[in-house]
Amino acid sequence: MTAATTSTIDAQPSLFSFDAASTALVVIDMQRDFIEPGGFGESLGNDVSLLAEIVPAVAALLAFARRHGWLVVHTREAHAADLSDCPPAKRLRGAPNMRIGDAGPMGRILIRGEPGNAIVEPLTPLAGELVIDKPGKGAFYATRLGEELALRGITHLVFAGVTTEVCVQTSMREANDRGYDSLLIEDATASYFPAFKQATLDMVRSQGGIVGWTAPLSSLMKLDGTHPAWK
Ligand code: TIU
């Protein structure tokens, strides 16, 4: 067994320290349903182009995590084809132009296995990485994520993905209540509403880190002398 090596990076509200062996990257819902036209995100009336902008940053973060031997977890918001895991309250909320389970240009909206439910191609999971389908906004609710992390002795989570104030924040709050130290990478998360993204970053790190920490990707990449290549 190799000895744990602690890394420390600049973050807010304070330095964030972690060991690669007990850290997981959790990439939330970088799936076509939210990022490409014709999916769930657009059906709710959103401009999806803001989300596509973070794909290069998430790709660089994934490459960093893989280089450093972190556990990598990808989530997808996904429902069973018979909608047995989709509460009517979720399906019937609001006045979208297509509801969960309806046929759209990328297949049935938010249904497991449909083309639109796939993670966008540049962020495709590698063999051995965990892919967690989740019926809710939080990654821990009604999934095996907690057990998978516990099995591997994971104590620190680094979050990225979409949308900042919905599935990312819900998952980070779930993680916080389960005792994980969580870091949100500021430029590897996006919202359809930039003001909501900013508010989420501010609330996560407020009150001494009431939910966790935030840091730009460059803070992490300083650890191995790399820098975000797309900048
Ligand atoms: N609508 C919205 O902002 N987000 C979601 O419905 N799901 C996720 O955030 N993944």
Side-chain angles (χ1 to χ4, degrees), residues 27-41:
V27 180
I28 301 285
D29 299 357
M30 290 297 289
Q31 58 198 73
R32 299 179 68 202
D33 282 307
F34 294 107
I35 293 168
E36 295 184 16
F40 183 58

Side-chain angles (χ1 to χ4, degrees), residues 101-173:
D102 289 351
M106 296 190 288
R108 293 179 68 203
I109 298 286
L110 228 54
I111 298 297
R112 200 174 304 148
E114 295 287 331
N117 211 227
I119 290 170
V120 294
E121 193 275 333
L123 309 179
T124 301
L126 298 184
E129 295 178 349
L130 284 179
V131 179
I132 302 283
D133 285 325
K134 61 187 194 40
K137 303 306 183 192
F140 290 84
Y141 170 70
T143 72
R144 65 183 202 283
L145 178 60
E147 287 80 357
E148 297 280 10
L149 297 177
L151 268 175
R152 294 164 174 82
I154 299 296
T155 55
H156 289 61
L157 301 177
V158 176
F159 281 92
V162 297
T163 62
T164 317
E165 80 281 12
V166 183
C167 291
V168 176
Q169 181 172 208
T170 302
S171 300
M172 237 180 132
R173 287 176 181 275

Side-chain angles (χ1 to χ4, degrees), residues 26-99:
V26 184
V27 180
I28 301 285
D29 299 357
M30 290 297 289
Q31 58 198 73
R32 299 179 68 202
D33 282 307
F34 294 107
I35 293 168
E36 295 184 16
F40 183 58
E42 194 180 67
S43 81
L44 299 174
N46 297 306
D47 170 6
V48 297
S49 62
L50 281 171
L51 271 52
E53 286 174 11
I54 65 161
V55 170
V58 179
L61 176 58
L62 267 171
F64 181 94
R66 288 165 180 160
R67 255 194 328 273
H68 289 263
W70 298 4
L71 175 68
V72 174
V73 182
H74 306 258
T75 69
R76 297 181 293 218
E77 189 171 341
H79 291 284
D82 64 2
L83 296 178
S84 55
D85 58 1
C86 182
K90 179 176 184 181
R91 185 164 187 275
L92 299 176
R93 184 80 47 81
N97 59 37
M98 286 179 294
R99 293 194 187 275

